[in-house]
Amino acid sequence: MKNGNILLEAHALINAERQGDYGPPAESFARIAALWSAYLGHTVTGKDVAVCMALLKFSREAYHHKRDNLLDAAGYIGLAADMEGGSCG
């Protein structure tokens, strides 16, 4: 197995399979951000959503190792970086 395979797998998930399940990340995270903003009473961005979702996965990983936690965290980090630069579709 090559180093970084989980990153390649995460890349494939956020660019194909998961978009089919949840729609374009920018749209999905904008909806989530709007809901979280209303609930929390302050502005939350799509990037905030991606970072917080990665933190959720790290919290789960701290409790019990599951490869999916790390795979999803890698995907969320990639999406957060894309949203930073405005290239998340």
Side-chain angles (χ1 to χ4, degrees), residues 18-81:
R18 299 279 164 95
Q19 283 199 38
D21 292 339
Y22 306 116
E27 291 178 24
S28 176
F29 287 15
R31 277 193 307 274
I32 295 166
L35 292 166
W36 288 6
S37 294
Y39 180 79
L40 295 170
H42 63 85
T43 302
V44 175
T45 67
K47 180 184 174 188
D48 293 330
V49 171
V51 170
C52 287
M53 294 303 291
L55 292 171
L56 168 82
K57 290 298 187 164
F58 288 136
S59 175
R60 289 179 177 177
E61 181 66 17
Y63 177 73
H64 178 74
H65 170 68
K66 185 176 175 189
R67 188 174 189 280
D68 182 67
N69 294 328
L70 300 177
L71 176 63
D72 286 350
Y76 287 127
I77 290 168
L79 291 171

